[in-house]
Each structure stands twice: as structure tokens, then as C-alpha cells.
């Protein structure tokens, strides 16, 4: 993320105020709020870009083996951006490990996936940063927004059929149980 000269000036004033609190003029408060809005917008744009990259990665993975080079390049970019490989990625790389690049990526993805699983099992926070809260007021300045009522939590979305795990054969076709044969009668 890069700041313009004006944004750096506002940031420098806000940091100076944090070190030496004093009443801020309304203009400085508004500048800080505009800067916070710009940072929020940049974070949202980064999230949209990441979602696009991951959707593109899924499209290339689904088109394998025809999209081999594009998939490997996108996976490298995603890993560099902090992507945790999914089981589908590991399975695709196992199928493609005949090539040196795919084999190297498989090894890298396995290490990342193992580290991620260990972190989740240890109870540590995920590698994604916590969402940044909005700047509502600066000490010494005036409040930017009144208290707003909190929105109710969103209901859990249903899992679409394409994301559900495939049933095991034993769930679809239960095991056959032997049927007792009636005793055979002899003529006589």
C-alpha cells in the first residue's frame, strides 16, 4: 500500500498527536477520517482482488491438465499472497508431479498445509489478519459518528450441493446381509 504526499502529511500529524495529545482542529479530524476511509477502501479492494485470484485458480484447477502452465503460475502467485492450499490443490499437484515445477510446488504446498493444520490444532489464530475497525473518533477531536445499533449476525449459509462431500459407497449401498435359507425338504 502506498500513500500520497497529502496522506503522509495527515498520517504524520495523527502520529504526532498520538504522542502529544492536544485538541485537534476540525479540519485535522476530517483529514484523519478521510485517510481512514481511504485505507478501508484499499483493504476492501485488496480483498476483492484476492477473491478474483482464488476464483481464477479454481477455474484453472478444474480445467486441468489442459491449463497446466496457467494453473501452476496462478498457484505460485496465490501462495506468495498467503494462500493456504486446499486438498483439491494437493490432489491436482499429486496428479501432475511428473513435472519438476509441479513436484516442487507439491512439496511447498504440503509444508504450508501441514503448518496451517498444526496452527489450527494448537489453537492459534489463523494467518489472516483481524479485520480493522473503523476510526470513529480521535481523542481531543469531535466524535465522527454517533453510536449505531449493531446488526444481527448473518445466518449460516447452506452448503451448496457442489461443496458437499461425496457419500461413501457404504452409505449409498448398504452391505448385504445373508438371507437365511428355509430348510430343504427331502422326498421320501
Amino acid at each position: 500500500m502506498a500513500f500520497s504526499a497529502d496522506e503522509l502529511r495527515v498520517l504524520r500529524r495523527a502520529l504526532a498527536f498520538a504522542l502529544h495529545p492536544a485538541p485537534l482542529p476540525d479540519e485535522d479530524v476530517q483529514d484523519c477520517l478521510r485517510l481512514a476511509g481511504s485505507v478501508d477502501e484499499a483493504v476492501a479492494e485488496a480483498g476483492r482482488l484476492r477473491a478474483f485470484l482464488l476464483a481464477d485458480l479454481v477455474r484453472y484447477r478444474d480445467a486441468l491438465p489442459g491449463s497446466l502452465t496457467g494453473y501452476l503460475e496462478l498457484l505460485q502467485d496465490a501462495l506468495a499472497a498467503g494462500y493456504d492450499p486446499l486438498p483439491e490443490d494437493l490432489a491436482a499437484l499429486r496428479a501432475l508431479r511428473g513435472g519438476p515445477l509441479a513436484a516442487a510446488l507439491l512439496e511447498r504446498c504440503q509444508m504450508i498445509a501441514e503448518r496451517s493444520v498444526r496452527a489450527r490444532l494448537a489453537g492459534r489464530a489463523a494467518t489472516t489478519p483481524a479485520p480493522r475497525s473503523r476510526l470513529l473518533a480521535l481523542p481531543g477531536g469531535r466524535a465522527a459518528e454517533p453510536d449505531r445499533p449493531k446488526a444481527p449476525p448473518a445466518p449460516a449459509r447452506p452448503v451448496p450441493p457442489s461443496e458437499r462431500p461425496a457419500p461413501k459407497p457404504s452409505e449409498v449401498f448398504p452391505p448385504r446381509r445373508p438371507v437365511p435359507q428355509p430348510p430343504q425338504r427331502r422326498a421320501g
Side-chain angles (χ1 to χ4, degrees), residues 155-165:
R157 71 174 182 91
V159 178
S162 62
E163 293 182 14
R164 290 188 192 135

Side-chain angles (χ1 to χ4, degrees), residues 40-54:
D40 287 341
E41 188 176 315
V43 168
E45 182 61 30
R48 285 191 294 274
L49 182 62
R50 179 178 170 82
F52 176 78
L53 174 69
L54 295 181

Side-chain angles (χ1 to χ4, degrees), residues 89-178:
D89 295 312
L90 295 172
L93 289 171
R94 283 187 194 104
L96 302 169
R97 68 176 161 220
L101 180 58
L105 272 175
L106 174 62
E107 186 176 319
R108 182 176 172 197
C109 286
Q110 286 174 332
M111 288 182 351
I112 292 170
E114 182 178 329
R115 198 176 319 135
S116 176
V117 168
R118 287 180 191 263
R120 278 183 273 159
L121 289 176
R124 286 186 264 155
T127 57
T128 57
R132 194 174 75 78
S133 62
R134 288 199 31 88
L135 177 64
L136 296 178
L138 294 173
R142 64 182 179 144
E145 297 178 17
D147 290 337
R148 287 185 274 165
K150 293 185 179 180
R157 71 174 182 91
V159 178
S162 62
E163 293 182 14
R164 290 188 192 135
K168 297 181 209 169
S170 62
E171 295 171 342
V172 177
F173 305 104
R176 292 186 182 177
R177 294 195 167 72

Side-chain angles (χ1 to χ4, degrees), residues 8-86:
L8 285 175
R9 179 183 49 78
V10 171
L11 188 59
R12 190 173 69 220
R13 281 192 318 215
L15 290 174
F17 170 74
L19 292 174
H20 306 287
L24 281 176
D26 285 347
E27 181 183 323
D28 287 349
V29 172
Q30 291 303 317
D31 287 343
C32 289
L33 292 172
R34 274 193 294 276
L35 178 62
S38 296
V39 169
D40 287 341
E41 188 176 315
V43 168
E45 182 61 30
R48 285 191 294 274
L49 182 62
R50 179 178 170 82
F52 176 78
L53 174 69
L54 295 181
D56 215 17
L57 182 66
V58 169
R59 281 192 295 276
Y60 273 78
R61 184 178 57 229
D62 291 343
L64 284 172
S67 62
L68 176 66
T69 56
Y71 172 70
L72 295 178
E73 289 174 8
L74 283 173
L75 184 59
Q76 284 178 324
D77 292 344
L79 291 173
Y83 172 68
D84 282 338
L86 299 175

